[in-house]
Amino acid sequence: MEEVLIATSFLRAIIERSFMQHALITGVLIGVLAPLVGSFVVIKRLSLIADTLSHFSLAGLSIGLFFINILGLPLGDPLYIGMVFAVIGALLIEALRSYYKNYKEISMPIVISLGTALSALFISLSGGFNTSIFNYLFGSILTVSRQFVYIIIVLTSVILVLVAAFYKQIVIISFDESYAKLLGIRVGLFQFFSTVILALIVSLSIETVGVLLVSSLMIIPVAAAMKVGKSFKSTVLIAILFSEISVLMGLWLSFIFSIPSGATIVLFNIIILLSVVISRKIIGTWLIKEKNPETMRSSLPHKKDAT
Amino acid sequence: MRIDVDNLSFGYDYRTVLKNISFTLQSGDFLVLIGNNGSGKSTLVKCLLGINKVPEGKIYLDGQDIHNFKDWLRVGYVPQKFDDFNYEFPITVNEILNVTKFSKVDNDQKLQLLDRMGILKLQNENINELSGGQLQRVFITRALMNNPKLLILDEPTAGVDQENVIGFYRIVNDLNAEGVTIILVSHDTKGSKTNMSHIMNLDEGRAKYINVCDLDFQEESE
Ligand SMILES: Nc1ncnc2c1ncn2[C@@H]1O[C@H](COP(=O)(O)OP(=O)(O)OP(=O)(O)O)[C@@H](O)[C@H]1O
Ligand SMILES: [Mg+2]
C-alpha cells in the first residue's frame, strides 16, 4: 500500500514539478548518450578516459567557483568553464598519447593528477567544501536548470545525427584504426571531434552522477551488455537499455529515500552488471552439466565445400 | 592498377631494411614476393600501402605519386598480423564487412564472396567466437569489399585449411584475370596454384632477382 503511494507520488511529482521533469529528461538523455559513447570508449580500451576528463572538468568547475564566488567575476555558470576544461583535458590526453606512442596510458594519470591538484587548490581558495562542491562530486540531477536541459537536448540530437551519419567510419576507426587509415578515412579528424564530444558528454554527465561516478555511467552498462550481446548493434542497444533502467530506478529510489541520485543510479548499474555475471555463470555451469555438445557447439558451422 | 617503384630504400630508426628496390607492375600483373624471415617483405608491402612513409618520387600508383594518391578504397590489404584489431567487443562478420564497404558492391556479390570464402554460414556470428582460420578468411573477405584494383596479401593463408586455401586462390586468380593487380607475400610458391606473372626474391632488403614468369617457368617451379 505504502509502495503504491510512493510510486504515485513519484509520478505526481514528475507531472507537477518542473524540477522533476528536468531531472527526468536529463537522466533519460544522458542515459542514452553515456553508454552509446561509452561503447566506443570501451572498444578502444580507453575506459579510464572518462574518469580523467571528469577530474579535469572538476578543476574547471572549482576555478569557475573561485572566479565567480571569490573574485566576483560575471562568468555565469561554472558549468561552462567545466566544459571548456574537459575539452582542454581531452586535447591534453591526445597530445600525450601521441608523445608517448608506446605507453599511451601514461597520459591518463598525468592529466588526472593535474586536474585533481588544480581542483584541490581552487576548492581550498574558494573556502573549502560547500554544497556546490558536494554536488559536483556526487551529482545533483534534481537541481538542473531549464537552460541545462536545452543544452542536453541539443547535444543529444547533434550526437545521434553524427553517429548515424558517420556510423561506418566511427565503427571501423574504433575496431581497427590502421585499416580505417588504409581506407583513406581521415582518422585524425574523427578522433579530434570524438574527443571533444566525449569531453562535453563527460562534463554534462557530472550534473547527473557527479565527477566521481561519471565513468561508471559510460562503462558499467557497456561492460554488462558486452557479456550479453551477440552483435555490435545489439550490444549497444542493450547497454542503453541497462542504462535507462538504472537511471529510472535510480531517480525513483533517490526521490523516495532522498539520497543523491548519483549513488542510486550507479548502484543500480552495478546490480545489473552483477546479475549478468552471475546468471551467465549459472547458465554456463548448467550447459556443462547438460554435457550436450549439440547445444554448446551448434553455432559452429560444418565445414563447407569450397567449390 | 599500375605500380612503379623507383630506387626505394627504407629503414626503421637507424637500420636500413630495403635497399634500392625498383620494379614496375602493370594492371593485371601478379607478383609473388618471397624471401627469408626478416628480409623486408612486409616492410616493402607497407611502403606500397602508405603505412610506412617514403620520400616523394619513390612510389607511383596509377602514375600518381603515393603522396597524392587518393583512391585508397580500391586497394585491398590482408595484413600478416591482426594485432591492431580491437577484439572482445561483440561484432558480427556481417557488421565488420558492412562498415568496410564504401563502394557500391551489391548484396548478391557480397554473399557470393562469403560463399566462396566458405564463411556464408558465419555471417551472423560474433567474430570473437571464430577460430583463427575462420577469422583470417573474414579478413580476406574484408579486403575484397570495395572491388579492389590492387590487392596486397601478406601471407594471407597462414592458418587456413587446405580446402579453403584452394578456394581462396581461385578467387584471387579470378580477380587477377579481371585485371586486378596482385601482390602476394608467400613462402610457398609451389603449393599455391597462383597465376603469378612476376616473382621477386628479397634478400636482406635487396631484390635478389625479379623474374617475369611465363608458363614454362611456373611449370618448372611446380
Ligand atoms: N615496426 C618496426 N620497427 C622496427 N623494425 C622493424 C619493424 N618492422 C619490421 N622491422 C625490422 O625490419 C626487418 C624486416 O622485417 P619485415 O617484417 O619486413 O620482414 P618479413 O620479410 O616480412 O619477414 P617474415 O617472413 O617474418 O614476415 C626485420 O629485421 C624487422 O626486425
Ligand atoms: Mg612479413
Side-chain angles (χ1 to χ4, degrees):
Chain A
M1 195 59 210
E2 204 175 326
E3 277 154 31
V4 177
L5 273 180
I6 289 168
T8 49
S9 73
F10 180 62
L11 285 179
R12 181 177 296 158
I14 288 174
I15 293 164
E16 288 175 355
R17 303 294 178 83
S18 64
F19 80 88
M20 279 304 285
Q21 291 162 7
H22 294 166
L24 192 69
I25 297 171
T26 305
V28 166
L29 294 184
I30 293 280
V32 173
L33 284 187
L36 175 66
V37 175
S39 299
F40 296 106
V41 168
V42 169
I43 297 169
K44 299 202 75 176
R45 301 178 198 286
L46 287 174
S47 301
L48 278 176
I49 203 171
D51 250 329
T52 309
L53 293 181
S54 66
H55 281 74
F56 210 77
S57 189
L58 179 65
L61 292 168
S62 16
I63 289 174
L65 277 183
F66 173 72
F67 281 159
I68 293 162
N69 291 354
I70 306 296
L71 302 184
L73 297 177
L75 289 176
D77 195 323
L79 170 72
Y80 302 117
I81 301 170
M83 285 165 88
V84 172
F85 263 71
V87 173
I88 294 175
L91 299 179
L92 212 56
I93 292 173
E94 284 296 315
L96 286 168
R97 275 167 63 81
S98 57
Y99 189 65
Y100 291 101
K101 274 199 175 55
N102 292 317
Y103 295 93
K104 289 186 172 164
E105 67 279 7
I106 275 187
S107 56
M108 310 278 184
I110 295 177
V111 176
I112 242 185
S113 320
L114 180 58
T116 314
L118 286 176
S119 310
L121 180 64
F122 282 93
I123 287 173
S124 77
L125 284 180
S126 328
F129 276 90
N130 53 36
T131 334
S132 315
I133 297 292
F134 185 83
N135 284 345
Y136 290 146
L137 288 180
F138 297 105
S140 60
I141 197 171
L142 295 180
T143 62
V144 297
S145 64
R146 179 177 291 269
Q147 199 183 8
F148 182 85
V149 174
Y150 290 146
I151 296 179
I152 287 272
I153 292 175
V154 170
L155 188 75
T156 308
S157 326
V158 170
I159 289 171
L160 291 181
V161 168
L162 284 178
V163 170
F166 296 106
Y167 174 76
K168 286 183 185 179
Q169 285 89 339
I170 297 172
V171 175
I172 184 102
I173 290 173
S174 315
F175 277 95
D176 198 341
E177 196 179 310
S178 44
Y179 206 78
K181 278 188 187 142
L182 214 68
L183 291 171
I185 296 171
R186 300 186 61 185
V187 173
L189 198 69
F190 272 95
Q191 210 115 316
F192 175 80
F193 279 110
S194 35
T195 312
V196 170
I197 285 173
L198 178 67
L200 293 180
I201 295 177
V202 165
S203 54
L204 293 180
S205 307
I206 289 176
E207 296 286 324
T208 332
V209 289
V211 167
L212 300 178
L213 300 174
V214 163
S215 73
S216 56
L217 216 55
M218 291 192 159
I219 307 303
I220 299 174
V222 180
M226 270 172 83
K227 294 293 173 196
V228 183
K230 283 278 167 270
S231 67
F232 175 74
K233 280 182 186 158
S234 68
T235 306
V236 174
L237 289 178
I238 292 169
I240 292 175
L241 180 74
F242 285 166
S243 147
E244 288 300 341
I245 295 174
S246 311
V247 164
L248 295 177
M249 290 304 290
L251 267 182
W252 180 57
L253 292 173
S254 138
F255 177 81
I256 55 178
F257 295 119
S258 323
I259 34 179
S261 55
T264 50
I265 293 173
V266 170
L267 286 176
F268 217 86
N269 264 319
I270 297 271
I271 290 173
I272 292 179
L273 176 67
L274 279 179
S275 327
V276 166
V277 172
I278 292 169
S279 56
R280 273 183 60 92
K281 272 258 178 319
I282 293 171
I283 292 170
T285 44
W286 176 73
L287 271 182
I288 290 167
K289 264 194 201 137
E290 288 275 290
K291 279 252 171 167
N292 186 348
E294 282 292 307
T295 46
M296 289 185 70
R297 305 238 120 211
S298 62
S299 63
L300 284 184
H302 303 287
K303 198 178 282 165
K304 206 178 167 297
D305 198 348
T307 45
Chain B
M1 189 175 290
R2 184 193 155 99
I3 299 172
D4 297 278
V5 175
D6 181 18
N7 200 18
L8 169 72
S9 297
F10 180 87
Y12 301 100
D13 298 328
Y14 304 103
R15 234 175 66 243
T16 318
V17 175
L18 299 175
K19 293 153 196 155
N20 311 82
I21 307 251
S22 300
F23 64 91
T24 293
L25 294 176
Q26 304 289 346
S27 281
D29 279 350
F30 193 137
L31 170 70
V32 173
L33 199 54
I34 57 173
N36 295 337
N37 294 141
S39 56
K41 303 180 296 296
S42 298
T43 303
L44 173 57
V45 151
K46 286 180 186 164
C47 290
L48 296 173
L49 289 161
I51 299 172
N52 288 338
K53 304 287 176 225
V54 301
E56 278 183 42
K58 293 294 173 190
I59 299 176
Y60 297 86
L61 301 177
D62 266 347
Q64 270 201 318
D65 191 296
I66 192 166
H67 291 265
N68 308 322
F69 183 74
K70 290 279 182 300
D71 205 10
W72 286 109
L73 277 183
R74 288 314 187 75
V75 179
Y77 173 47
V78 179
Q80 187 174 11
K81 290 184 291 185
F82 297 100
D83 295 351
D84 291 342
F85 197 92
N86 289 321
Y87 295 99
E88 271 189 54
F89 199 94
I91 185 163
T92 65
V93 170
N94 237 335
E95 285 177 317
I96 277 284
L97 297 181
N98 286 339
V99 296
T100 9
K101 197 177 71 162
F102 287 92
S103 318
K104 289 196 182 70
V105 177
D106 62 46
N107 210 39
D108 284 351
Q109 213 176 332
K110 192 184 97 183
L111 293 180
Q112 207 181 341
L113 262 180
L114 286 167
D115 193 25
R116 292 174 77 182
M117 289 305 303
I119 54 172
L120 190 58
K121 284 187 177 168
L122 302 180
Q123 265 191 89
N124 297 313
E125 292 294 318
N126 179 351
I127 63 154
N128 297 291
E129 291 166 7
L130 299 184
S131 77
Q134 291 171 330
L135 196 58
Q136 182 79 3
R137 284 185 272 149
V138 171
F139 285 125
I140 293 172
T141 315
R142 179 176 73 167
L144 303 175
M145 271 295 114
N146 293 307
N147 280 331
K149 290 198 291 181
L150 167 63
L151 192 53
I152 296 183
L153 309 157
D154 197 346
E155 302 190 34
T157 53
V160 177
D161 56 60
Q162 198 53 40
E163 198 176 347
N164 283 299
V165 168
I166 294 170
F168 167 60
Y169 282 121
R170 205 164 281 156
I171 297 178
V172 172
N173 285 339
D174 285 357
L175 287 168
N176 181 236
E178 290 163 21
V180 177
T181 310
I182 313 273
I183 298 178
L184 170 68
V185 178
S186 175
H187 283 292
D188 162 38
T189 50
K190 295 193 179 93
S192 58
K193 302 241 189 311
T194 64
N195 282 350
M196 71 175 156
S197 63
H198 296 67
I199 184 164
M200 173 152 75
N201 186 347
L202 275 183
D203 183 18
E204 299 194 352
R206 283 180 204 285
K208 202 158 83 180
Y209 60 78
I210 306 174
N211 275 334
V212 177
C213 328
D214 47 32
L215 278 169
D216 292 345
F217 180 88
Q218 272 194 39
E219 229 111 273
E220 224 173 275
S221 71
E222 268 175 10

